[in-house]
């Protein structure tokens, strides 16, 4: 359904075209910084007009007849046909900032044109000026192929396209790359985890799950960005391009969502009504919709066939294009992204496998270029993590789109990763780094590991007898999220923070090593195996890996969760019997951290991390339609028969190298 603003197709023809008219009175009355911003935006637009041929609100026809809106910027004085950098997005790229009363920030477009590229940005289906119904990642996949074919068929096009973008502008790419369209020469994905479906042991399905628990950031994101906007204003399909350009100075079609206090709303039950209960429109989150996946995401299971019907890439889809992958330690998820990278290196034809390069940075979601001399991840200073990403990206595109023999593949390591703790960039040909080994630490206690003041330890061998550590998990009083990777969690602090005050809760079990006498690099997957019991039919277990400083500050590195009904796989749920002991192995999770001499390693175990993950209500029901919960009495067992442990990937000490591009 859509509301059609049909009057615009006839009445807007009288409006002027100039982008640099005097801003509205509201903008004129702003402070000096606002006026400076307006001046900068106008200057960028003027420079673009001097060097670029600008073609806005081009409506590109897909094979089903629906039209997708695109803006095209290409060099005026090109000596021949030019290659294309392509960005496809569900977000607002309107060239005019209607709130500011000035052009939008067009620095990326300007930079691309200066480098000799055409820059094409297109809205995904069902957003802003693009027609159709939206689903996550903008399926059908044929839209991506149709866009590439359209671009390469333009008379000014060299026939080569490279994709780029971070977050939603990256997440659609892998599945489209797997279609192997001849015009797509290479891709650059950044912060792309929400585009990764099933790969290896990971069933996160685009960051929707972790261990079968729901990652709640998506609920915030779906509401705040107006994703469920299927009833929305639209221009008639036959509106002239010039009228669309004029109209977009006044109507950018961006939904203005009423403010929501997510610190409060995340507690709402049932989960399925979390958006509609604050007046949000029904849509793909909780309602069946006329899209390929069918919508109703909240009711799916981690192995639901619907996940394979939309825009997600999965490991049944081979990739045979050169790829530049940007990943970060404090993104929503990191391990499925690394698994996808390794999958392509393992399965692509060798020449293509050898053209897969990864940069793994110590930043939050899409914060690569915001690194500083003292890069702060929450409260943790990880040092000077700056790197010239633009130089690498343009060097990459110059090689694969222009054919320049610029040595970028020889200069850049296959894997460049940042070692936190040591706070330095390191190079490797593989992930995990070559020469890495594994080491186990076993959980131990006298049965009182509760809080950081308890007797929990991490030791070299399993205990001879079992002294289980017990705690109460009450879904009405879950362990609050303090620090995490990702985005979109309202006011919840993201990054790394001191956990010590938080660990005074009795429902957190704390296990420490002795202070390390020698430093230790942990770079690669971390796997935790627990032997647990519960009074509930179903419950969750969580853990955090923590670096404990000599002064007692304890900084979180990774966090993980496993819903027990999915402990044996995601084909069907399995239930717990009261007080029976079950083995549960969490999905591997990656990091890179140097534990300095005098530091300790800590693993904190509980049954909730809210609202990073949804609360298990412990009933064995569907969890998304329920409003009542059961309190669970949970236990972690550790002895020779129940060797609960953490397995680390350890890298021998070698001297770090200076990164390319610094």
């Amino acid at each position: 359904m859509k509301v059609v603003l049909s009057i615009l197709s006839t009445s807007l023809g009288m409006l002027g075209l100039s982008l640099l008219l005097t801003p509205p009175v509201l903008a004129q009355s702003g402070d000096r910084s606002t006026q400076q911003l307006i001046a900068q935006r106008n200057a960028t637009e003027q420079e673009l007009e001097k060097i670029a041929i600008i073609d806005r609100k081009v409506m590109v026809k897909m094979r089903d007849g629906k039209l997708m809106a695109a803006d095209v910027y290409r060099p005026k004085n090109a000596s021949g046909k030019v290659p294309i950098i392509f960005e496809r997005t569900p977000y607002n790229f309107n060239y005019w900032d209607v709130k500011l009363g000035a052009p939008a920030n067009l620095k990326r477009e300007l930079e691309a044109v200066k480098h000799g590229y055409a820059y094409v940005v297109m809205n995904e289906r069902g957003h802003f000026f693009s027609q159709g119904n939206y689903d996550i990642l903008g399926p059908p996949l044929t839209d991506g192929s149709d866009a590439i074919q359209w671009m390469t068929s333009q008379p000014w096009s060299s026939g080569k396209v490279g994709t780029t973008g971070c977050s939603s502008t990256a997440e659609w790419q892998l599945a489209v790359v797997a279609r192997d369209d001849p015009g797509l020469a290479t891709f650059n994905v950044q912060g792309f985890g929400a585009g990764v479906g099933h790969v290896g042991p990971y069933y996160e399905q685009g960051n929707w799950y972790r261990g079968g628990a729901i990652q709640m950031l998506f609920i915030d994101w779906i509401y705040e960005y107006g994703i469920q906007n299927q009833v929305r204003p639209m221009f008639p399909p036959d509106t002239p391009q010039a009228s669309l350009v004029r109209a977009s100075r006044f109507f950018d079609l961006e939904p203005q969502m009423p403010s929501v206090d997510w610190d409060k709303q995340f507690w709402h039950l049932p989960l399925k009504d979390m958006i509609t209960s604050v007046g949000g429109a029904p849509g793909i989150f909780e309602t069946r919709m006329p899209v390929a996946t069918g919508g109703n995401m909240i009711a799916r299971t981690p192995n639901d066939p619907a996940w394979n019907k939309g825009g997600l890439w999965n490991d049944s889809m081979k990739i045979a294009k050169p790829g530049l992958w940007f990943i970060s330690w404090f993104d929503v998820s990191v391990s499925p992204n690394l698994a996808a990278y390794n999958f392509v290196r393992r399965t692509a034809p060798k020449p293509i496998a050898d053209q897969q390069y990864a940069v793994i940075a110590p930043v939050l979601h899409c914060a690569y270029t915001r690194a500083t001399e003292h890069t702060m991840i929450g409260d943790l200073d990880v040092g000077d993590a700056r790197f010239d990403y633009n130089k690498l990206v343009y060097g990459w595109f110059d090689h694969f789109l222009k054919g320049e023999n610029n040595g970028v593949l020889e200069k850049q390591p296959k894997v460049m990763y940042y070692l936190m703790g040591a706070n330095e960039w390191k190079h490797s040909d593989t992930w995990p780094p070559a020469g890495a080994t594994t080491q186990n630490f076993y959980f131990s206690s006298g049965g009182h590991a509760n809080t950081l003041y308890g007797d929990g330890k991490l030791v070299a061998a399993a205990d001879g007898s079992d002294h289980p550590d017990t705690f109460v998990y009450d879904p009405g009083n879950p362990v609050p999220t303090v620090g995490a990777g990702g985005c979109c969690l309202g006011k919840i602090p993201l990054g790394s923070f001191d956990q010590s005050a938080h660990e005074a809760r009795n429902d957190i079990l704390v296990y420490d090593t002795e202070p390390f006498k020698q430093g230790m690099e942990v770079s690669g997957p971390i796997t935790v195996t627990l032997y647990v019991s519960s009074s509930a039919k179903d419950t969750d277990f969580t853990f955090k890996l923590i670096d404990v400083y000599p002064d007692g500050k304890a900084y979180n590195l990774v966090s993980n969760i496993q819903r027990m009904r999915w402990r044996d796989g995601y084909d069907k749920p399995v239930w717990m019997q009261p007080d029976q002991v079950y083995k549960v192995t969490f999905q591997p999770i990656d990091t890179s951290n140097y534990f300095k001499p005098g530091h300790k390693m800590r693993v904190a175990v509980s049954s909730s991390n809210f609202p990073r993950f949804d609360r298990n209500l412990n009933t064995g029901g569907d969890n998304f339609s329920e409003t009542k919960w059961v309190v669970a009495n949970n236990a972690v067992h550790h002895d020779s028969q129940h060797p609960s442990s953490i397995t680390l990937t350890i890298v021998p000490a070698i001297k770090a190298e200076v990164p390319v591009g610094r």
Side-chain angles (χ1 to χ4, degrees):
M1 287 172 37
K2 57 178 178 280
V3 178
V4 179
L5 305 181
S6 59
I7 189 172
L8 293 175
S9 64
T10 57
S11 63
L12 291 175
M14 299 179 290
L15 298 175
L17 272 173
S18 174
L19 300 178
L20 303 178
L21 297 176
T22 304
V25 173
L26 180 62
Q28 287 181 338
S29 64
D31 58 25
R32 179 171 295 181
S33 62
T34 300
Q35 293 302 310
Q36 289 174 341
L37 178 60
I38 291 171
Q40 292 168 0
R41 296 278 187 86
N42 280 329
T44 301
E45 174 68 21
Q46 288 172 329
E47 190 174 1
L48 254 178
E49 290 178 350
K50 289 179 181 178
I51 68 171
I53 297 171
I54 301 173
D55 200 11
R56 288 169 170 145
K57 294 297 178 282
V58 180
M59 302 304 289
V60 181
K61 184 177 288 188
M62 302 292 104
R63 63 189 63 187
D64 67 351
K66 298 296 184 184
L67 302 175
M68 305 299 129
D71 287 357
V72 181
Y73 303 83
R74 55 191 177 91
K76 269 185 179 177
N77 300 317
S79 58
K81 297 183 177 184
V82 295
I84 301 165
I85 295 175
F86 180 40
E87 178 185 337
R88 184 167 170 256
T89 179
Y91 299 133
N92 185 4
F93 67 80
N94 200 51
Y95 78 95
W96 189 262
D97 186 330
V98 297
K99 292 181 180 178
L100 185 65
N105 184 357
L106 299 172
K107 289 183 178 179
R108 284 180 298 182
E109 291 82 346
L110 178 62
E111 186 176 24
V113 172
K114 284 183 173 180
H115 278 86
Y117 292 94
Y119 191 93
V120 178
V121 57
M122 178 181 289
N123 264 138
E124 291 177 353
R125 177 179 291 249
H127 271 315
F128 301 98
F129 288 76
S130 289
Q131 299 174 358
N133 291 100
Y134 178 75
D135 198 356
I136 300 291
L137 308 180
L141 296 180
T142 53
D143 280 3
S145 296
D146 291 348
I148 292 165
Q149 184 176 0
W150 176 81
M151 287 183 284
T152 56
S153 67
Q154 298 306 299
W156 46 263
S157 169
S158 72
K160 289 189 175 182
V161 175
T163 57
T164 191
C166 196
S167 193
S168 290
T169 60
E171 291 153 0
W172 62 271
Q173 290 186 41
L174 292 182
V176 173
V177 171
R179 292 176 59 82
D180 206 27
D181 293 295
L184 181 58
T186 187
F187 64 95
N188 167 226
V189 285
Q190 309 170 18
F192 56 94
V196 178
H198 170 234
V199 55
Y202 303 101
Y203 284 81
E204 291 201 4
Q205 305 296 14
N207 296 157
W208 190 262
Y209 301 103
R210 172 81 60 79
I214 291 171
Q215 305 200 58
M216 294 188 71
L217 66 100
F218 255 119
I219 303 173
D220 177 329
W221 179 80
I222 286 173
Y223 175 85
E224 293 292 344
Y225 287 93
I227 297 303
Q228 305 205 136
N229 61 352
Q230 301 310 303
V231 178
R232 61 195 182 99
M234 285 288 295
F235 292 90
D238 58 351
T239 304
Q241 181 183 357
S243 295
L244 292 176
V245 173
R246 295 184 188 106
S248 60
R249 293 189 68 248
F250 312 107
F251 307 97
D252 64 5
L253 304 185
E254 181 169 23
Q256 305 299 308
M257 305 303 295
S259 178
V260 169
D261 181 356
W262 286 103
D263 290 350
K264 177 181 178 181
Q265 186 59 17
F266 278 137
W267 289 84
H268 181 84
L269 294 175
L271 196 61
K272 69 181 182 64
D273 294 339
M274 191 169 290
I275 292 176
T276 56
S277 68
V278 290
I284 55 174
F285 172 67
E286 75 303 289
T287 304
R288 292 203 59 82
M289 297 295 292
V291 293
T293 63
N296 202 17
M297 299 173 76
I298 193 63
R300 298 180 200 166
T301 60
N303 203 18
D304 193 307
W307 294 113
N308 295 329
K309 296 179 180 179
L312 284 175
W313 174 87
N314 63 68
D315 61 12
S316 71
M317 305 162 76
K318 298 296 178 65
I319 285 177
K321 305 284 186 182
L324 181 59
W325 309 61
F326 292 169
I327 301 166
S328 57
W329 293 132
F330 282 88
D331 206 340
V332 178
S333 290
V334 61
S335 296
N337 301 14
L338 287 165
Y341 169 76
N342 281 335
F343 173 84
V344 176
R345 289 195 68 180
R346 187 173 64 251
T347 61
K350 190 175 188 311
I352 299 298
D354 289 341
Q355 293 174 341
Q356 307 299 322
Y357 287 69
V359 179
I360 315 169
V363 296
L364 288 163
H365 182 63
C366 289
Y368 302 99
T369 59
R370 293 196 286 274
T372 65
E373 185 177 359
H374 292 282
T375 304
M376 300 300 297
I377 310 301
D379 283 345
L380 180 64
D381 185 343
V382 296
D384 190 350
R386 291 175 293 181
F387 178 70
D388 194 339
Y389 293 94
N390 280 348
K391 180 179 178 181
L392 175 57
V393 169
Y394 276 107
W396 183 271
F397 283 151
D398 288 347
H399 177 74
F400 285 105
L401 299 183
K402 294 182 179 178
E404 292 184 8
N405 186 18
N406 57 13
V408 65
L409 301 186
E410 292 74 29
K411 296 174 185 175
Q412 184 68 21
K414 287 289 195 305
V415 177
M416 189 175 94
Y417 68 97
Y418 197 82
L419 176 60
M420 298 178 291
N423 296 347
E424 58 192 13
W425 287 101
K426 297 190 72 174
H427 298 174
S428 176
D429 286 334
T430 62
W431 186 262
T437 59
T438 59
Q439 182 174 346
N440 289 342
F441 290 83
Y442 293 88
F443 292 69
S444 173
S445 80
H448 304 287
N450 311 73
T451 83
L452 77 166
Y453 306 111
D455 62 0
K457 297 179 181 179
L458 294 171
V459 296
D463 290 344
S465 58
D466 189 16
H467 301 282
D469 296 304
T470 63
F471 63 96
V472 175
Y473 164 45
D474 179 357
N477 183 27
V479 173
T481 298
V482 178
C487 72
C488 315
L489 278 176
K491 298 177 183 178
I492 301 300
L494 297 175
S496 187
F497 296 88
D498 181 12
Q499 304 290 305
S500 55
H502 176 64
E503 290 165 347
R505 288 179 60 114
N506 205 55
D507 55 355
I508 299 177
L509 307 179
V510 176
Y511 303 89
D512 285 356
T513 64
E514 293 297 320
F516 292 115
K517 295 180 179 179
Q518 296 180 328
M520 177 177 69
E521 177 182 342
V522 175
S523 291
I526 295 159
T527 303
V528 168
T529 297
L530 297 180
Y531 290 81
V532 300
S533 59
S534 177
S535 63
K537 183 178 180 181
D538 182 49
T539 193
D540 292 346
F541 283 90
T542 66
F543 78 82
K544 291 182 182 179
L545 178 68
I546 296 166
D547 187 348
V548 183
Y549 285 53
D551 64 1
K553 289 184 178 179
Y555 289 99
N556 55 292
L557 299 173
V558 297
S559 56
N560 211 344
I561 190 168
Q562 183 61 49
R563 187 145 292 174
M564 287 300 290
R565 70 177 68 185
W566 305 117
R567 66 187 179 275
D568 292 339
Y570 296 97
D571 291 334
K572 63 179 182 179
V574 291
W575 309 110
M576 304 178 76
Q577 298 297 321
D579 302 319
Q580 184 172 332
V581 178
Y582 298 93
K583 178 182 179 181
V584 55
T585 298
F586 293 72
Q587 69 178 40
I589 190 165
D590 292 73
T591 192
S592 180
N593 188 71
Y594 181 71
F595 289 88
K596 294 179 179 179
H599 287 224
K600 296 189 293 184
M601 181 179 71
R602 174 174 294 167
V603 178
V605 174
S606 192
S607 285
S608 53
N609 182 351
F610 176 79
R612 177 69 176 85
F613 306 105
D614 74 321
R615 294 169 287 168
N616 194 329
L617 302 182
N618 296 332
T619 65
D622 63 30
N623 217 61
F624 62 83
S625 68
E626 298 178 286
T627 59
K628 296 182 180 180
W629 60 80
V630 173
V631 174
N633 295 295
N634 293 342
V636 173
H637 302 258
H638 39 75
D639 62 7
S640 57
Q641 298 300 311
H642 309 105
S644 294
S645 64
I646 181 171
T647 303
L648 307 177
T649 303
I650 309 295
V651 176
I654 58 174
K655 186 177 180 181
E657 302 177 54
V658 177
V660 176
R662 279 281 295 275

